[in-house]
Amino acid sequence: MLGTELEDFLALQHSVLEDISGEALPLLDAVRNLARGGKRLRGLLAYWGWRGAGGAALHPEAVKAGAALELFQSAALIHDDIIDRSDTRRGGPSVHRIFSMAHAESDWHLDGSHFGSSAGILAGDLCLSFSEEMFSAVGPRAAHGTEARRIFNRMRTEVMAGQYLDILEEVAGPGHDPEHAVVRALNILRYKAAKYTTEHPLTLGGALAGARPEFLAGYSRFSLPLGEAFQLRDDVLGVFGDPQTTGKPAGDDLREGKRTVLIAYALSRGSEDAREEITARLGDPELDDDGVDRLRGILRDTGALEATEELISRHTEAAFSALAALPLDDVPRAALDALAHSAVKRSA
Amino acid sequence: MLGTELEDFLALQHSVLEDISGEALPLLDAVRNLARGGKRLRGLLAYWGWRGAGGAALHPEAVKAGAALELFQSAALIHDDIIDRSDTRRGGPSVHRIFSMAHAESDWHLDGSHFGSSAGILAGDLCLSFSEEMFSAVGPRAAHGTEARRIFNRMRTEVMAGQYLDILEEVAGPGHDPEHAVVRALNILRYKAAKYTTEHPLTLGGALAGARPEFLAGYSRFSLPLGEAFQLRDDVLGVFGDPQTTGKPAGDDLREGKRTVLIAYALSRGSEDAREEITARLGDPELDDDGVDRLRGILRDTGALEATEELISRHTEAAFSALAALPLDDVPRAALDALAHSAVKRSA
């Protein structure tokens, strides 16, 4: 359903772009290619949030809201990959890389890497606009003044602010009181990732179906810790994951200099030497396998990995116990239970 | 009115960001600073498009629609300045420069220029989301299925596709049949700038007030040539304008390698030598005053400047004669006449 909705929408956009110029179509192809992939966790959470609050099965409003969330996620990924200088996404080249590769293959002029980033900025902008176009098509239940629209607006602002705090931490982090590194990293994780990945989609679906505030608060008690566990797992996989299953080179998050909760624990618990080594190596794009192994060793020896795993367990337990307390019918309960399991117990 | 609407909206967003973290506020400050400036041509055209179609004076729906257009314009400028590597905007530093300067002043780590671009991408994304949030607040007359919403959606897609064609032309242009350079440049000008600057805002205002299709077609006959004349004037000022009044260094468009209609005329009319010189110098960030003068000479000698001025005159005449034919009351007619004059007869 969600896939069909996205395909139909993007086919319509194809004809809009074709009217302007056939040469503009690669911009749409890049968006379409990305939007076709992924786990669609957000779209599914919105749908089951809707069903759990009594919304009818396969209802177009819930499907459109989920499709809008997936388009927003694609837009965020396109821009994130420029910001993080990630050349790969879902096992293939990232959007900006597709354009810099086209530049190289066509033997075009000027700076191909800048052309790639510029086209990536525009592809992300287009996808962000598509997300909104899709969300407004949900209709009156998502119109100005509704709780669903309020959640959608809040989500976008929080993700962008959270992402800014994240890049600020990368550049300002090392000299910026290490004893509060964990608190800052947890705040970034909450706004940039946790609320956005799980809480906003689930409550948005519920709000669309007309759920009352107490019901939505129950959704938050389940989905916020779930999102936190999900992102912490992501952070662990970014350093310790198997490239075969994650689709990203080993230790890529270390080369990108991501200042995750895992790193923050090591900074706040490590010796002066460990801290200096982290500061020196983290974000070095040339970091080799030995460097990755050294940092992994520090993350283990300082207890940072263990502390992160403990936090994942704690949040996971909180999420499942809140899910058990939700007044849900059997079908949505089973679906949310399966989604929650896939979010926290994964290797990719 | 429009200014107050924007200030109130941004004050509300300030409290949203403050809840996340005070450290995220520079992102909002950058947006606010930019949104406060500018000629507000789009917001004014939407307002007078509304009034011309019989909409009530100072009506909040028309003001909100205009504010949404101004926020969209700010978002587009923030991202354009990254793409065009423009360090200045409206006489001050561009948004990405504000962040790279903050990086330098605070003696932060890693690459300050990349931090600046990354923060600029996020500031633009935030502003693009704000634009939509404001537009949805217009209410039922701008909801899914209305003509106003259709225009707003179409505008965003056209601007982004037009901007992509523009950067493609910059890299692919020189080797890419010069005899069609003028046709391509006119297409880019139409989608990236002309429709967006004048036609979409005016017709959007009219549609919001419930104007019929024939009335909106009259608006298009006036505003599309007006927008084309406006942008052609902009292109001439980007090469021949006085830095004192434009707020941009002399010849900046040449250093940025902008492939305007002016340049396309020179490429299609010039000798082989002139063509080679343009290709060699255009887009050279180190181009000095002598280089700027050489290119200006070619633009004059090939008749490119004259041809562009002729086109400006032709479009200007078409716009004013279409305005005369519009069935408007005196007040909106006078306002649109004044806006049209300020758009095409300007030095900055």
Side-chain angles (χ1 to χ4, degrees), chain A residues 79 83 109 114 125 132 171, chain B residues 79 83 109 114 125 132 171:
Chain A
H79 284 177
I83 291 170
H109 295 249
H114 186 72
D125 287 350
E132 174 54 46
V171 295
Chain B
H79 284 177
I83 292 171
H109 295 249
H114 186 73
D125 287 350
E132 173 55 45
V171 295

Side-chain angles (χ1 to χ4, degrees), chain A residues 251-327:
Chain A
D252 224 27
D253 281 8
L254 297 172
R255 270 178 221 102
E256 285 172 15
K258 282 199 188 161
R259 303 193 74 82
T260 59
V261 173
L262 182 65
I263 297 291
Y265 272 130
L267 284 170
S268 67
R269 291 166 173 228
S271 63
E272 196 57 44
D273 282 358
R275 237 178 237 189
E276 270 174 26
E277 185 157 359
I278 293 170
T279 306
R281 291 177 184 266
L282 195 68
D284 172 6
E286 310 292 320
L287 192 71
D288 60 12
D289 287 350
D290 276 357
V292 169
D293 281 342
R294 290 277 308 169
L295 286 178
R296 282 178 177 160
I298 293 174
L299 293 170
R300 279 200 193 87
D301 297 344
T302 53
L305 177 60
E306 199 185 341
T308 305
E309 289 287 358
E310 261 176 44
L311 205 53
I312 294 175
S313 299
R314 200 154 16 107
H315 284 314
T316 303
E317 278 167 35
F320 282 100
S321 92
L323 175 61
L326 285 176

Side-chain angles (χ1 to χ4, degrees), chain A residues 6-335:
Chain A
L6 280 173
E7 287 297 331
D8 289 352
F9 176 84
L10 292 168
L12 197 73
Q13 298 297 340
H14 190 275
S15 68
V16 173
L17 264 87
E18 210 164 26
D19 277 354
I20 299 169
S21 164
E23 291 191 291
L25 289 174
L27 208 56
L28 185 74
D29 293 339
V31 167
R32 178 140 63 168
N33 188 44
L34 189 67
R36 275 182 179 145
K39 292 183 278 279
R40 295 196 174 145
L41 179 59
R42 292 164 188 81
L44 289 166
L45 282 169
Y47 179 72
W48 289 107
W50 157 275
R51 288 292 306 280
L58 304 179
H59 195 286
E61 286 181 27
V63 175
K64 280 187 210 297
L69 290 172
E70 290 299 322
L71 287 166
F72 180 76
Q73 163 70 352
S74 294
L77 291 178
I78 295 170
H79 284 177
D80 272 11
D81 284 342
I82 300 172
I83 291 170
D84 295 341
R85 294 189 167 112
S86 296
D87 286 346
T88 53
R89 170 63 62 186
R90 294 177 180 160
S94 50
V95 167
H96 66 100
R97 272 295 288 160
I98 290 173
F99 287 98
S100 64
M101 283 158 62
H103 184 282
E105 280 156 23
S106 315
D107 205 17
W108 284 332
H109 295 249
L110 305 175
D111 178 348
S113 155
H114 186 72
F115 173 73
S117 303
S118 299
I121 291 175
L122 295 170
D125 287 350
L126 189 66
C127 197
L128 190 54
S129 300
F130 286 169
S131 156
E132 174 54 46
E133 191 169 333
M134 181 66 90
F135 191 71
S136 74
V138 170
R141 292 195 209 225
H144 181 62
T146 64
E147 181 63 12
R149 162 65 65 177
R150 200 195 62 73
I151 294 169
F152 194 70
N153 288 342
R154 176 67 66 128
M155 173 191 78
R156 292 189 294 204
T157 302
E158 287 186 353
V159 170
M160 288 153 193
Q163 171 77 328
Y164 173 73
L165 292 175
D166 195 21
I167 64 167
L168 181 67
E169 188 69 17
E170 269 176 37
V171 295
H176 191 185
D177 62 336
E179 59 274 31
H180 293 112
V182 174
V183 173
R184 291 197 306 273
L186 284 169
N187 198 46
I188 292 169
L189 177 132
R190 172 167 292 198
Y191 286 106
K192 186 191 162 185
K195 282 171 153 300
Y196 158 55
T197 306
T198 50
E199 189 192 12
H200 289 317
L202 187 70
T203 54
L204 198 158
L208 211 54
R212 294 146 58 100
E214 317 86 88
F215 189 90
L216 296 179
Y219 269 178
S220 290
R221 281 191 295 276
F222 157 56
S223 54
L224 184 57
L226 179 70
E228 291 180 323
F230 173 85
Q231 186 56 43
L232 289 166
R233 172 61 59 221
D234 214 57
D235 292 349
V236 171
L237 288 170
V239 176
F240 294 96
D242 175 1
Q244 294 277 326
T245 49
T246 62
K248 287 212 151 202
D252 224 27
D253 281 8
L254 297 172
R255 270 178 221 102
E256 285 172 15
K258 282 199 188 161
R259 303 193 74 82
T260 59
V261 173
L262 182 65
I263 297 291
Y265 272 130
L267 284 170
S268 67
R269 291 166 173 228
S271 63
E272 196 57 44
D273 282 358
R275 237 178 237 189
E276 270 174 26
E277 185 157 359
I278 293 170
T279 306
R281 291 177 184 266
L282 195 68
D284 172 6
E286 310 292 320
L287 192 71
D288 60 12
D289 287 350
D290 276 357
V292 169
D293 281 342
R294 290 277 308 169
L295 286 178
R296 282 178 177 160
I298 293 174
L299 293 170
R300 279 200 193 87
D301 297 344
T302 53
L305 177 60
E306 199 185 341
T308 305
E309 289 287 358
E310 261 176 44
L311 205 53
I312 294 175
S313 299
R314 200 154 16 107
H315 284 314
T316 303
E317 278 167 35
F320 282 100
S321 92
L323 175 61
L326 285 176
L328 294 173
D329 286 346
D330 288 351
V331 175
R333 178 180 307 282

Side-chain angles (χ1 to χ4, degrees), chain B residues 49-50 53-55 141 147 203-213 215-216:
Chain B
W50 157 276
R141 290 194 209 227
E147 181 63 12
T203 54
L204 197 158
L208 211 53
R212 292 148 56 100
F215 189 90
L216 295 179

Side-chain angles (χ1 to χ4, degrees), chain B residues 294-315:
Chain B
R294 290 277 309 168
L295 285 178
R296 283 178 177 158
I298 293 173
L299 293 170
R300 278 199 194 86
D301 298 344
T302 53
L305 178 59
E306 200 185 340
T308 305
E309 289 288 357
E310 262 176 43
L311 205 53
I312 294 175
S313 300
R314 205 161 3 116
H315 284 313

Side-chain angles (χ1 to χ4, degrees), chain B residues 207-291:
Chain B
L208 211 53
R212 292 148 56 100
E214 316 86 85
F215 189 90
L216 295 179
Y219 268 178
S220 289
R221 281 191 296 275
F222 157 56
S223 53
L224 184 57
L226 178 72
E228 290 180 325
F230 173 87
Q231 185 57 42
L232 290 165
R233 174 59 61 221
D234 212 59
D235 292 348
V236 171
L237 288 170
V239 176
F240 294 96
D242 175 1
Q244 294 277 325
T245 50
T246 61
K248 286 212 152 202
D252 224 28
D253 280 9
L254 298 172
R255 269 179 222 101
E256 285 174 14
K258 281 198 189 166
R259 303 194 73 85
T260 60
V261 173
L262 181 66
I263 297 290
Y265 272 130
L267 284 171
S268 67
R269 290 162 175 233
S271 63
E272 195 57 44
D273 282 359
R275 233 178 241 188
E276 271 174 24
E277 187 157 357
I278 294 170
T279 305
R281 290 176 185 267
L282 194 69
D284 173 6
E286 309 293 319
L287 193 72
D288 60 13
D289 288 351
D290 277 356

